[in-house]
Amino acid sequence: MRRVPCGRPWVAGWLLGWRPDEFWRATPAELAAVLRAARGEEAAEAGVDGAELGRLMGVMPD
């Protein structure tokens, strides 16, 4: 059995459920933001509300 080296940065992507291409495309800032949110360190007001989400979905339907 292959051991997983826990000190490697890609372990964060594995724990978050990211596919390898998603991990490698992410910038360090994006990874840091996701990890802060996963740990509950992001402020609740940092997200978007339902109206803003609907607006974004309207202008970017894909």
Side-chain angles (χ1 to χ4, degrees):
M1 181 165 70
R2 187 169 162 217
R3 295 179 67 189
V4 176
C6 294
R8 305 278 174 131
W10 57 265
V11 171
W14 177 70
L15 291 172
L16 293 168
W18 288 2
R19 294 182 304 256
D21 64 307
E22 293 168 328
F23 172 78
W24 292 112
R25 280 195 326 255
T27 66
E30 291 168 329
L31 179 58
V34 170
L35 292 175
R36 280 193 308 274
R39 290 190 304 252
E41 297 174 5
E42 286 290 315
E45 62 272 5
V48 296
D49 62 12
E52 179 67 4
L53 180 60
R55 185 190 72 75
L56 291 170
M57 290 172 64
V59 297
M60 295 180 263
D62 61 334

